[in-house]
Structures are given as C-alpha cells and as structure tokens.
C-alpha cells in the first residue's frame, strides 16, 4: 500500500517549475552590495519594498498599537485568546474601508461579507474549495501567476484551462479567446465552474479595461458561472487608466438584484499593496451568503494572527495615514517603473505598456535564437547564470508566446536596479557584438568569460570574480 | 432570494454540506452563553462558560515578559529596526530562530528527554490547520483514520471536511478500562474496516487526551507503536496539551518511544500548537513534526496555506529562546493548573460528583451517570439542558465527543478566575443538593426534534459579543453519529 497520499507524491504543487528554480539559484548566490557584488540580483520576487519608511514612522507615532494596548490599557489577554473566525471587527471594518479607498470610494464593501485568510494563497484555495468539485475547471487568462497551479489545483483537484491571450492586442482578453477556452474545456470533458482573473494583472502589470470587465460579466452571465477577481495589486496602480474594480462594473450595470451579483467574488491581500507578505493577511469578499458562511468556517485552517489583526486595524483606521500611504506609494512605484522601462529602452528592449504592479512584462523576443520555448529557456539560463539576474520566463507563467519575461522592480534599492539595468545593457551589447563576429569564435565559454569579466568590473571591488 | 437555490447548485458539495459539523444541538449551550454571559458584577446570574478549553491561568507571566522585552516586538521603538525584514519574510521554512525556538521548547516540555530537529518543524494555521495538513499528506479521499473515542468534536471538520478522509472511532470503554485504548479494540476496528474494503491509512491519538485529561503510559504507547508498525499504517500524535500535565504520571511523548523501539520512523508524526500550553490560540501557531522526510517536504509546501504571521514568529522566537523564562513558565503554569484542578475536583467531590482521574488538560471528565434518569443519551440531553438553563453552566455533553456511554460531561476549569470557579461550584452544589433535575422545565419531546431548534449557523454568526468577553471560536462538535446508531 502506498504510504503517502497522491497529493504528497505528485508534483501539482508546481514547485519543479523554472519559476522556483531561478529562486533556488538566487539563494545559492544572492547579490549583496558589499558581500557578493557579482551575485545574482533577485528580480523574480514581486515584493513592494518601497514604502516601509512610511509604515515605520506610523509605528513610531502609534506606540499603543505596537504594544498590545488600547487607550493605554493592555489588551494582550483579549488578543491572545481571540480566535473567532469572524475576525476582529475593528480590523475587518478598517480593511473594507481601505479597499474602498483604493477604489476611490466608487464602491463600498460590507465587512460582514469579508472573510479573512492566511494570505491570498489561502484565500484563492478556499474559494475554489467552495465553488468547484475535484475534476471541475476554472478558466484563467494567460499569462498568469505561476503559484496558481499550486493554489487553485493542488489540494482541490480542480483543473485550470487557459484563456489564450497574445501580444497582438497587448494580451487583452477577447470574446473569442473566452469562447475557445470554454470549448476546449468541453473537449476535455471538464465542467467549467468559473473564470479567475487577476486585476491588475500579474505578470502583465496592466489593469483590465472596462471593455474586458463587461465582456467577463456577459460571459459569466451567459454561461451561468462564477468570476473570481484577484485584486491584490489594486493599490499598486500608478498611472492611467485607473483601476476599475469588477464591483464598479456590476454597480454600473445594476446587477445588484440579479443572479450574477452572487457569482462574483473578490480576493484581496495586504502583501503587495502594503508590502507585508510575512503577516499573511488575505481576504475573500463575496455577495453570496453561502460562500461567506462556508469560507468563514474554512478560514479556521488559516486564520490571521490576532496580534497582526490588531496592529493593522489600528494602522488602517488612521485615514490620514492611509490616504498619504496610497498616494505616496503609487508615486514611488511609478518612478521605479519609469527607471526600468527607460533603462531597458536604451538596451533596445521594450516592455508591455503597463500602469500597475511591481514588475514589467519585458519583450525579449528579438534576443531569442529561435521563436521557441527552448530558446526562451536558453536565454533565461544565460540571464540567470551569466548576467546574474533572476527574472521569470514567460513559459513559467503559461504564456503562449516565447520571449517574454517578468522583471520585478520594487524589491530592491535604486542602486541595485541601476546595476541590473547596466548588466542587461552589457549583455545585449555583447550579444550584438558576438553576433557580428564570426560564428566560430562565439562559443558559450568565451561569452561566459567576457560577461563574468564585466560583471566583475561593475562591482567596484578588487576581489576575484566568482567561478560559477 | 429566489436565485439562491440555483446558485447553490453552482457551489461545491464541501460548501453546502454540513460536514463542517457546526449544525449540531451542541450550539444551544453556546447560544445560551452568548445571550446571557456571566459577569461577576454586571451579570452575576449569567451562564458560566465551561465548554471552552482555554488556558487563561498564566497570562501575567507572558505579559510580564513582553513588557520587559520590547525588542521582541517589531513595532516598538526598540524593535522597529527589524520591521521590514520581518514583514517581507514569507519563506515557508519559517524564520530560523522561530523554528529553533519551537524545537527547543518542544524538547523542554518533554523534560529534555527528547531533542527535536528544527528542520523538521513545519508551520500551520494552528493545530486545526496542522491536523488537516497531515491528512492531506497521508491519505486520499475515501481513505480512513482510526480515532479512539471519546475524541475532540472538531476532528470531524479538521480531518474530514476538505480532505474526504473517513474517521473510524475506536471505542474505549469506561467501566473496564477507564477509557484507555486497548489493542483488542484497535484490532477489531481495523479488521472491520478491512472487511468493508475501507483503506485504513493510520491512527490518530490525542495525548494528553481531550476530553479525558489523561496521558498514555509507556506500555500503552508501545503497543500503539507496535500496532501501527505491524500494519504499516501511520500514527499521528496530537500532543497539543503536552505542557498541561500537572501531576503524575509524567508526560511521555511518542518521540521517546520511537527512540526505544524498533520501528519504521516514516510512520510517525506529531501535531503541536501553542494554543493550549501557552494559552495563545489567537496567534495561530500550529506545528507539524514528522519523522518522514517526504511528509516534511510536502507538508512544508502545503504550509503556504497557513503560515504563521512573521510578526508572531518573531515575538515567540524571542520569548521561547529565553531559557530562564521558559523554565519558570512551564513550572508555574503546571502548578496553577494542578491547583485549579484540585479546587475544582475537591469541590465536586464534596457533593458526591466524581471525575475521571486525570493528570493533564484544561478540563475534567465529569461523571454524572448517577444523575441520569436512565442510562440513555436522551437522558443525557435532558440533564444537559437543565445544566445549561437552570444551573447556568455551559458544559459539553459526552455524546458530542462520541462517547459510547451516556452521562459523562467535559467541564473546563482553566478559562476563568478563582471567583468564577467558586460561583460555578456553588451552583453545582446547590443543584445536586436540591435534586433539581426532576423539577426542571424541560419539554417532553423526543430529543431528536430538539436537534433543529430554530437554530441555524446564521444565528450563531450574529452572536453579540459582550463588552468584556468576546464570543470565542467554538470547539465544533460533530452531530452525534454514535448516538443515532444506538437509539
């Protein structure tokens, strides 16, 4: 008899994907300005490290929240015992108001319809458990976050069928792509339970247009299925067009008393907007009472630490703080984004035009030796091992076209980002140079040596280059 | 809304069945408490909560430590320089200092007789999350786990709900064996399952036991090890009450036994938590410790669904690394539990009520069989409603723990102050002395109809929290399957 479960022995957790392998390589040789200047720069991690000073100064001015106190009185005991899966009321109230503020108060949320969970990872899984049986399917536009393969499929047994989006229209969702995906699922004998979109998109960094959102509402209405809108990057929208939430569209279409109202669910988190992934704060918002009730009970498997709920309830209730944070954070993201795209431009590399997120969707198709995923992998390995940048290949995001890469820009200092851009420039130059030379000379070894040399040169350090 | 039915079909079975176990008459007790919670001055005649296994006796020690160590918080001026590093850390291996501290703490709780490897520590969303995670790793939908009864009601949800795993209770009889699990009972249940073509993947035990408050002795543990080893099935040991042992015999962990015996270590897994031993259920610290490398690896990936907040990891890493504090805490907590246990059991003895002899836990297993009109579960329910409505104590009926013998009740004693214990004992004394059960205004309906008293989970959802006490997350019982089978 098999000792472990099928789940334990399969690889649906998706961790053998290149997305994670790049991480592993980074862990072995991480860049450090002083200790390891020729190490690999982490650009595969969608973290927001730009606005911690704002959080820290809030803490400095709000010591009560910091030390388990409310109005000077210790509430440690209360918090230590609080395990009610309905969540700390003050926290949920503050959180829904924060969500509304991000949406410029064009929509409002009812805290009773919000269910807390241990990060968006848990929220997404929980929703799938509530909406689909093992063997049923959800449609997802490609490219999509690699972690969805684990979060949506692994323990739930649910399948993902891709909605193929292409660069021909900036990877937007089209009616025909939706239909095709639905047909494909039928062909595979999979019952489609819903569509899941990430808005703003990871990895594209774009917000869904009103047209796409309306398309989605039409589609799920016609098919009688669910729509999950993962809006964890909603606070990272830094330029126009602004963020349009699915709730806004439903409101515009007067959907409140229709069936479809109950079939749209939102996933939120504070990992990206506030840059607090370690605190594991996720949430599900649904207008369907049964979903809320079931998800509430399920959240028992991943509640948010009461210590964290309390701290954040105080922070998010401070409206002066949140207003300032949201706008300042967006400003900084915009500036970083500018830095990266203009830097890449000077290297002759373009990006998908984007207005949100912590990353750019970079077009390196012209650097491929052939229009294949093998060539993409080849290029990716060079970039990781030789150029020393951990970026995410489009194939790991299930992109249908080879040559696209997700490059994060908000999880490092400005200097490091500049260094990364320099490395790319040199790399592109060297490729161009090598391509112009005779083919016999440009073998892998010499390319590696020359790249290593200039990586070393850039590190402003008198040490020997890393042998890799 | 008229659309709701159609939409319900669009939801999963998991979302719409009642396998979460919360639609049980058990909630009458909670409802009564929530509507009328005891408060020494504001509501001295309210219902006293004795159905919640919380450890509230030693907060002052923890609070004292926190006050003296502001650097352990990432929010104080002393500790805020760590804020960013901690806030962005989401590695599912957990903070190394946290893992190290937990491993050390687990060893200390076992008197230093075992050492734990920090690399085998896997985090989860409380013991609730840990138990579910272990099931996902060890069993497929339809597989079964043996569980000695009486057992913690929420196992029905934690082990079965989303995993699709079955639970097979193993009856532990009181009169002959003091509810101790016997090899014969295990063998019998195992064979029955095999004959019914049910794939038994393992056995899950809670040691110290909830609801019994007893620990397993060396021989009992050894026989469990040889049983699972022989059948090549898993043994999951839920040891979340390990540090609540307050008197002899000492706690013996499964970890000690597998060091002493020839066995396949790949079959052994421990579930741990800080919710009971340290009284911190709100912090959601669950741990899976497995001796099986594949389970550690798989479990670690799965822990993404319920990691411990790094803010909490950081605080506890500092606290549990303070060896002097830990030593002092464990000793003092144990003393206070012993004291409270003694006061309570002596008080019950004075009116002729006995409890199962116990040496651990946050509750006693109270024997009210003499007070039953007849030895049936209907009579148990009748008595229970009287206790809630007349005596005004929310205690937990044995049937909700799948006990096969009517008349036993789990009564928690560590979630209140001394004065409230006094009040509770006074009420019990009064009740017993006046022999009130006959006069209780109980409806003469068969108990089954009472099962669906106008109660629904919605009403529970709307339970109002009184200003000084928060409505806690309830221990969710399973509807009494065994009860139905026998009546």
């Amino acid at each position: 008899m098999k000792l472990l479960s099928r789940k334990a022995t399969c690889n649906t957790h998706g961790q053998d994907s290149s997305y994670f392998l790049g991480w592993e390589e980074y862990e072995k040789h991480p860049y450090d300005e002083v200790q390891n200047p020729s190490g690999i720069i982490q650009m595969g991690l969608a973290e927001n490290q730009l606005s911690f000073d704002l959080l820290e100064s809030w803490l400095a001015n709000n010591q009560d929240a910091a030390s388990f106190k409310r109005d000077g009185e210790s509430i440690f005991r209360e918090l230590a015992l609080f395990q009610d899966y309905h969540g700390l009321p003050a926290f949920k109230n503050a959180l829904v108001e924060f969500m509304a503020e991000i949406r410029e108060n064009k929509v409002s949320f009812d805290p009773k319809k919000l269910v807390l969970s241990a990060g968006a990872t848990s929220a997404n899984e929980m929703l799938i458990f509530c909406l689909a049986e093992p063997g049923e399917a959800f449609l997802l536009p490609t490219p999509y976050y690699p972690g969805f393969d684990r979060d949506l499929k692994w323990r739930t047994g649910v399948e993902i069928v891709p909605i193929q989006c292409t660069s021909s229209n900036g990877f937007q969702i089209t009616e025909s792509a939706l239909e095709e995906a639905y047909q494909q699922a039928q062909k595979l004998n999979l019952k489609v339970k819903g569509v899941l979109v990430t808005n703003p998109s990871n990895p594209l960094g774009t917000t869904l247009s009103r047209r796409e959102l309306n398309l989605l509402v039409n589609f799920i209405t016609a098919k009688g299925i669910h729509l999950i809108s993962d809006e964890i990057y909603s606070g990272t929208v830094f330029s126009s067009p602004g963020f349009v939430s699915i709730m806004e569209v439903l409101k515009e279409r007067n959907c409140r008393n229709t069936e479809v109202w109950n079939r749209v669910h939102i996933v939120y988190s504070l990992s990206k907007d506030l840059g607090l992934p370690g605190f594991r704060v996720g949430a599900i918002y649904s207008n369907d009472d049964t979903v809320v009730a079931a998800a509430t009970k399920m959240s028992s498997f991943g509640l948010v630490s009461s210590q964290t709920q309390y701290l954040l309830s105080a922070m998010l209730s401070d409206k002066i703080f949140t207003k300032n944070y949201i706008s300042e954070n967006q400003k900084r993201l915009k500036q970083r984004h500018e830095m990266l795209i203009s830097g890449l431009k000077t290297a002759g590399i373009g990006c998908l035009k984007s207005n949100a997120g912590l990353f750019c969707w970079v077009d390196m198709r012209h650097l491929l030796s052939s229009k294949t995923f093998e060539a993409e992998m080849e290029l990716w390995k060079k970039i990781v091992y030789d150029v020393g940048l951990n970026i995410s290949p489009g194939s790991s995001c299930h992109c249908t076209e080879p040559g696209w890469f997700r490059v994060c820009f908000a999880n490092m200092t400005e200097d490091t980002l500049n260094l990364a851009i320099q490395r790319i420039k040199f790399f592109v130059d060297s490729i161009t140079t090598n391509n112009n030379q005779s083919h016999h000379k440009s073998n892998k070894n010499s390319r590696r040596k020359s790249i290593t040399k200039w990586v070393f040169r850039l590190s402003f350090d008198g040490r020997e280059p890393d042998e890799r | 809304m008229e659309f709701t039915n159609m939409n319900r079909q669009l939801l999963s079975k998991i979302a719409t069945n009642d396998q979460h176990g919360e639609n049980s008459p058990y909630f009458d007790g909670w409802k009564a408490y929530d509507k009328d919670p005891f408060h020494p001055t504001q509501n001295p005649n309210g219902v006293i909560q004795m159905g919640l296994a919380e450890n509230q006796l030693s907060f002052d020690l923890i609070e004292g430590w926190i006050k003296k160590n502001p650097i352990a918080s990432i929010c104080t001026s002393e500790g805020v320089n760590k804020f960013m590093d901690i806030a962005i850390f989401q590695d599912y291996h957990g903070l190394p200092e946290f893992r190290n501290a937990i491993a050390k703490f687990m060893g200390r709780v076992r008197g230093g007789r075992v050492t734990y490897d920090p690399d085998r520590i896997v985090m989860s969303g409380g013991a609730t999350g840990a138990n579910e995670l272990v099931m996902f790793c060890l069993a497929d939908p339809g597989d079964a786990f043996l569980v000695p009864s009486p057992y913690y009601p929420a196992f029905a949800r934690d082990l079965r709900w989303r995993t699709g795993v079955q639970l097979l209770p193993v009856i532990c009889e009181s009169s002959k064996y003091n509810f101790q699990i016997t090899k014969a009972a295990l063998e019998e249940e195992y064979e029955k399952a095999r004959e019914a073509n049910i794939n038994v993947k393992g056995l899950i035990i809670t040691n110290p036991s909830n609801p019994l408050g007893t620990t397993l002795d060396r021989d009992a543990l050894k026989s469990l090890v040889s049983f699972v080893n022989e059948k090549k099935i898993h043994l999951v040991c839920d040891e979340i009450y390990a540090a609540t042992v307050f008197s002899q015999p000492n706690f013996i962990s499964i970890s000690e036994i597998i060091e002493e015996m020839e066995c396949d270590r790949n079959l052994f897994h421990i579930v741990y938590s800080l919710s009971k031993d340290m009284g911190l259920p709100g912090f959601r610290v669950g741990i899976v410790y497995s001796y099986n490398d594949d389970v550690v690896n798989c479990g670690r990936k799965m822990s993404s669904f319920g990691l411990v907040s790094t803010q909490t990891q950081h605080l506890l890493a500092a606290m549990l690394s303070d060896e002097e504090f830990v030593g002092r805490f464990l000793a003092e907590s144990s003393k206070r539990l012993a004291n409270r246990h003694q006061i309570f059991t002596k008080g019950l003895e004075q009116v002729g009520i006995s409890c199962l002899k116990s040496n651990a836990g946050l509750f006693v297993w109270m024997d009210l069989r003499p007070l039953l009109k007849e030895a049936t579960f209907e009579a148990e329910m009748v008595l229970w409603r009287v206790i809630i409505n007349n005596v005004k104590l929310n205690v937990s009926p044995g049937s909700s723990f799948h006990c096969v013998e009517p008349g036993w009740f789990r009564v928690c004693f560590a979630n209140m102050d001394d004065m409230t214990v006094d009040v509770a004992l006074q009420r019990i004394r009064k009740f017993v002395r006046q022999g009130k059960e006959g006069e209780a205004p109980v409806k003469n309906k068969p108990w089954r109809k009472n099962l669906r008293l106008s109660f629904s989970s919605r009403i529970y959802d709307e339970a109002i929290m009184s200003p000084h006490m928060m409505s806690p997350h309830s221990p969710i019982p399973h509807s009494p399957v065994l009860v139905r089978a026998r009546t």
Side-chain angles (χ1 to χ4, degrees):
Chain A
M1 177 179 61
K2 261 191 329 98
L3 202 57
L4 303 184
S5 67
R6 283 190 289 269
K7 289 181 181 67
T9 47
C10 69
N11 61 359
T12 313
H13 49 73
Q15 217 149 300
D16 300 329
S17 107
S18 51
Y19 181 75
F20 296 102
L21 294 176
W23 280 47
E24 282 170 21
E25 195 53 34
Y26 161 76
E27 306 262 305
K28 283 192 229 156
H29 310 280
Y31 168 80
D32 181 281
E33 206 179 342
V34 173
Q35 311 254 4
N36 192 15
S38 54
I40 299 181
I41 298 176
Q42 175 64 284
M43 304 190 89
L45 192 50
E47 271 174 4
N48 181 357
Q49 294 189 22
L50 304 186
S51 305
F52 273 107
D53 57 315
L54 301 178
L55 298 171
E56 284 156 11
S57 80
W58 185 89
L59 287 170
N61 294 326
N62 290 271
Q63 281 297 288
D64 251 17
S67 36
F68 294 115
K69 287 213 191 92
R70 187 203 291 141
D71 303 327
E73 291 281 306
S74 170
I75 54 163
F76 175 78
R77 188 188 185 103
E78 213 176 290
L79 286 178
L81 293 174
F82 186 82
Q83 55 174 333
D84 183 353
Y85 56 25
H86 292 96
L88 203 64
F91 178 51
K92 290 213 306 192
N93 289 337
L95 188 53
V96 298
E97 282 174 15
F98 185 67
M99 287 168 69
E101 198 175 347
I102 286 176
R103 291 155 182 71
E104 292 169 344
N105 290 307
K106 291 190 195 131
V107 284
S108 67
F109 297 95
D110 177 358
K112 290 208 208 66
K113 298 183 179 177
L114 192 79
V115 180
L116 299 173
S117 65
T121 300
S122 176
N124 277 314
E125 190 196 44
M126 258 174 18
L127 254 189
I128 298 293
F129 266 123
C130 288
L131 304 181
E133 304 296 340
E136 293 181 338
F138 258 74
L139 308 179
L140 265 67
T142 63
Y144 62 77
Y145 165 56
F148 278 153
D149 288 325
R150 173 196 61 196
D151 301 350
L152 310 181
K153 303 192 325 175
W154 189 19
R155 305 191 306 179
T156 61
V158 168
E159 296 294 336
I160 293 177
V161 174
I163 301 166
Q164 314 285 20
C165 301
T166 69
S167 61
S168 61
N169 69 344
F171 294 95
Q172 296 209 349
I173 300 171
T174 63
E175 201 171 338
S176 57
L178 282 168
E179 277 302 331
E180 251 176 68
Y182 194 83
Q183 296 310 322
Q184 177 61 11
Q186 311 279 57
K187 276 203 209 105
L188 297 169
N189 258 320
L190 297 171
K191 180 166 183 201
V192 176
K193 271 331 234 322
V195 179
L196 185 149
V197 297
T198 308
N199 178 28
S201 160
N202 174 11
L204 303 175
T206 53
T207 49
L208 286 179
S209 61
R210 220 176 211 92
R211 187 192 61 84
E212 286 167 288
L213 291 168
N214 275 303
L215 210 61
L216 287 165
V217 174
N218 295 341
F219 184 72
I220 65 164
T221 306
K223 306 292 189 209
I225 59 179
H226 296 276
L227 176 63
I228 298 176
S229 181
D230 180 332
E231 302 188 347
I232 69 175
Y233 289 97
S234 48
T236 68
V237 179
F238 49 75
S239 67
S240 67
F243 176 63
V244 180
S245 166
I246 187 70
M247 282 302 169
E248 217 184 303
V249 168
L250 289 177
K251 220 171 115 177
E252 279 166 7
R253 293 169 66 136
N254 288 315
C255 289
R256 193 179 279 274
N257 289 316
T258 67
E259 281 174 45
V260 79
W261 183 252
N262 281 13
R263 293 207 306 270
V264 174
H265 322 277
I266 293 180
V267 167
Y268 190 55
S269 159
L270 296 180
S271 301
K272 310 298 178 182
D273 288 352
L274 277 187
L276 306 172
F279 289 2
R280 313 316 300 145
V281 180
I284 291 172
Y285 187 88
S286 174
N287 288 312
D288 186 316
D289 293 335
T290 312
V291 172
V292 172
T296 302
K297 296 174 178 72
M298 260 188 218
S299 66
S300 304
F301 300 111
L303 297 174
V304 179
S305 168
S306 57
Q307 179 192 19
T308 302
Q309 287 191 55
Y310 182 65
L311 172 69
L312 295 174
S313 72
M315 194 184 280
L316 297 182
S317 305
D318 183 340
K319 300 290 188 240
I320 297 174
F321 167 76
T322 56
K323 187 156 182 226
N324 179 52
Y325 183 92
I326 292 174
S327 77
E328 184 60 31
N329 181 46
Q330 285 167 359
K331 232 184 272 172
R332 296 179 187 187
L333 286 171
K334 182 175 185 176
Q335 190 239 0
R336 267 310 170 89
H337 171 261
E338 246 324 295
M339 240 181 96
L340 180 60
I341 58 171
S342 53
L344 290 174
K345 197 165 171 196
T346 62
I349 297 176
C351 302
L352 180 72
K353 190 170 186 320
S354 65
N355 63 330
L358 310 173
F359 32 73
C360 285
W361 189 235
V362 179
D363 185 357
M364 300 209 208
R365 289 177 292 174
H366 59 294
L367 297 176
L368 294 182
S369 57
S370 62
K371 282 203 182 94
T372 61
F373 285 109
E374 286 80 11
E376 179 183 282
M377 273 297 112
E378 202 188 294
L379 176 59
W380 177 65
K381 286 200 180 114
K382 272 192 211 127
I383 296 177
V384 172
Y385 295 100
D386 298 347
V387 184
L389 304 176
N390 179 32
I391 63 177
S392 312
S395 50
S396 69
C397 302
H398 302 274
C399 186
T400 46
E401 285 168 40
W404 293 88
F405 291 79
R406 189 191 78 168
V407 181
C408 300
F409 56 69
N411 63 312
M412 62 198 64
T413 63
E414 253 187 54
D415 287 343
T416 309
L417 184 56
N418 269 320
L419 175 59
I421 293 170
Q422 296 308 310
R423 288 187 184 181
I424 294 175
K425 279 204 191 118
F426 273 101
F427 170 64
V428 170
D429 285 344
S430 74
I431 288 185
T432 327
T433 318
N434 273 339
N435 282 341
N436 289 340
Q437 284 173 355
S438 95
H439 289 293
H440 302 296
K441 279 208 160 171
S442 63
N443 58 50
K444 247 198 185 149
N445 274 336
S446 78
R447 194 176 295 162
R448 181 172 285 140
K449 246 193 242 153
S450 62
I451 291 172
T452 317
K453 271 210 209 110
W454 55 252
V455 166
F456 166 54
R457 226 180 285 129
L458 283 172
S459 60
F460 312 114
D461 185 312
R463 291 189 294 165
E464 295 296 339
D466 261 5
E467 300 297 343
R468 249 182 260 126
Chain B
M1 205 208 285
E2 56 202 86
F3 302 118
T4 317
N5 274 339
M6 178 132 82
N7 273 344
R8 271 183 75 98
Q9 283 163 35
L10 277 178
L11 304 183
S12 67
K13 294 200 193 87
I14 288 177
T16 50
N17 66 21
D18 59 357
Q19 293 299 298
H20 47 70
E22 284 184 36
N23 292 339
S24 150
Y26 182 81
F27 276 92
D28 291 345
W30 287 82
K31 192 174 149 198
Y33 167 75
D34 281 339
K35 276 211 297 211
D36 183 21
F38 170 80
H39 185 275
T41 50
Q42 299 189 8
N43 192 18
N45 293 320
V47 175
I48 298 179
Q49 174 64 281
M50 304 191 86
L52 191 51
E54 274 175 357
N55 183 355
Q56 294 192 24
L57 303 186
S58 304
F59 276 122
D60 56 318
L61 302 176
I62 298 179
E63 262 182 295
W65 187 93
I66 291 178
K67 276 202 192 102
K68 281 208 213 95
N69 294 270
I71 201 174
S73 162
I74 49 174
C75 305
T76 55
S77 48
E78 292 89 341
V80 76
N81 60 333
K82 283 259 159 63
F83 184 84
M84 182 167 123
D85 288 338
I86 297 295
I88 60 176
F89 187 88
Q90 58 176 333
D91 182 347
Y92 58 27
H93 290 84
L95 291 170
E97 55 268 28
F98 175 69
R99 268 186 295 133
N100 290 335
I102 292 283
K104 239 196 308 192
F105 183 72
M106 286 173 71
R108 292 275 314 256
V109 168
R110 287 149 185 78
R113 294 182 296 275
V114 200
T115 44
Y116 289 93
D117 177 2
D119 289 337
R120 290 190 177 281
I121 303 277
V122 171
M123 294 182 287
S124 59
T128 302
N131 278 314
E132 191 198 43
L133 190 149
V134 169
M135 287 298 122
F136 270 124
C137 288
L138 303 181
D140 291 319
D143 287 343
F145 255 74
L146 301 169
V147 54
S149 76
Y151 61 85
Y152 170 54
F155 272 166
R157 174 196 62 196
D158 300 352
L159 307 176
R160 300 182 334 158
W161 190 24
R162 304 193 303 181
T163 62
V165 169
Q166 296 185 54
L167 283 187
L168 302 174
V170 179
I171 314 288
C172 302
E173 311 226 6
S174 85
S175 37
K176 268 196 264 178
Y177 304 111
N178 262 335
F179 293 100
Q180 290 281 314
I181 186 170
T182 62
K183 196 146 187 208
L186 280 173
E187 292 281 358
E188 194 186 318
E189 200 55 48
Y190 184 80
E191 282 315 312
K192 245 192 357 206
R194 293 266 298 217
E195 273 156 39
N197 259 322
I198 297 175
N199 195 20
V200 177
K201 264 339 243 308
L203 165 66
I204 179 164
I205 62 169
T206 308
N207 178 35
S209 160
N210 174 13
L212 305 176
T214 53
T215 51
L216 291 172
D217 64 29
R218 192 165 238 98
D219 287 337
L221 286 165
K222 281 184 136 144
S223 75
L224 292 180
V225 170
S226 64
F227 175 75
V228 300
N229 203 47
E230 182 205 329
K231 309 284 190 229
K232 294 202 188 13
I233 61 177
H234 294 280
L235 180 60
V236 177
C237 300
D238 182 330
E239 298 190 343
I240 69 175
Y241 289 97
T244 67
V245 175
F246 51 76
S247 69
Q248 294 291 332
N250 272 334
F251 176 61
I252 304 176
S253 164
I254 197 72
S255 305
E256 291 175 58
I257 306 298
I258 64 179
E259 297 298 337
E260 294 169 19
M261 284 177 73
E262 281 288 321
C263 57
D264 179 1
R265 291 166 77 101
N266 283 323
L267 301 174
F268 299 93
H269 325 274
I270 294 177
V271 163
Y272 191 57
S273 159
L274 297 181
S275 301
K276 311 296 179 184
D277 286 354
M278 293 201 77
L280 305 171
F283 290 3
R284 314 314 301 150
V285 180
I287 303 289
V288 174
Y289 188 94
S290 174
Y291 290 92
N292 181 320
D293 291 343
D294 291 332
V295 173
V296 171
N297 286 326
C298 172
R300 187 163 282 135
K301 294 178 177 75
M302 278 191 191
S303 69
S304 302
F305 299 110
L307 297 173
V308 177
S309 168
T310 47
Q311 178 189 16
T312 302
Q313 286 186 49
H314 183 72
L315 175 70
L316 294 174
M319 194 187 292
L320 300 181
S321 304
D322 184 338
E323 312 234 343
E324 188 273 334
F325 169 74
V326 167
R328 198 163 30 96
F329 178 86
L330 291 175
E332 185 62 28
S333 172
S334 179
K335 221 190 287 178
R336 295 180 187 184
L337 285 168
N339 188 44
R340 186 51 80 78
H341 174 263
Q342 215 205 27
I343 290 175
F344 197 67
T345 49
K346 285 275 177 299
L348 291 175
E349 255 173 59
Q350 281 169 11
V351 289
I353 295 180
S354 68
C355 300
L356 183 72
K357 188 166 185 321
S358 65
N359 61 328
L362 308 173
F363 33 72
V364 290
W365 191 233
M366 188 168 67
D367 185 358
L368 293 185
R369 287 175 297 170
L371 297 183
L372 290 184
K373 278 215 176 107
E374 45 183 28
T376 61
F377 286 105
E378 283 94 338
E380 180 181 285
M381 284 289 120
V382 166
L383 176 58
W384 179 53
R385 289 189 203 292
V386 166
I387 297 177
I388 293 179
N389 297 320
N390 292 36
V391 190
K392 303 258 186 130
L393 303 175
N394 180 30
V395 300
S396 313
S399 51
S400 63
F401 294 86
H402 305 267
C403 184
V404 295
E405 216 170 270
W408 294 89
F409 290 79
R410 189 192 76 170
V411 185
C412 300
F413 57 68
N415 62 313
M416 59 193 67
D417 58 27
D418 292 331
M419 199 198 46
T420 311
V421 177
D422 238 14
V423 175
L425 285 172
Q426 277 172 41
R427 291 184 185 181
I428 293 174
R429 257 178 241 133
K430 190 168 162 208
F431 169 64
V432 172
R433 281 176 184 150
Q434 294 176 354
K436 271 222 151 57
E437 347 108 53
E439 297 153 32
V442 177
K443 299 192 179 103
N444 269 329
K445 286 187 193 157
W447 71 270
R448 256 191 222 95
K449 288 210 184 133
N450 288 339
L451 257 179
R452 298 285 175 257
L453 273 190
S454 55
F455 183 77
S456 74
S457 51
R458 272 256 233 158
I459 297 175
Y460 177 66
D461 285 355
E462 288 161 18
I464 298 157
M465 291 196 267
S466 74
H468 292 273
M469 283 166 284
M470 296 189 191
S471 190
H473 179 62
S474 62
I476 311 299
H478 180 53
S479 38
V481 169
L482 281 180
V483 177
R484 281 205 193 105
R486 281 163 203 281
T487 52

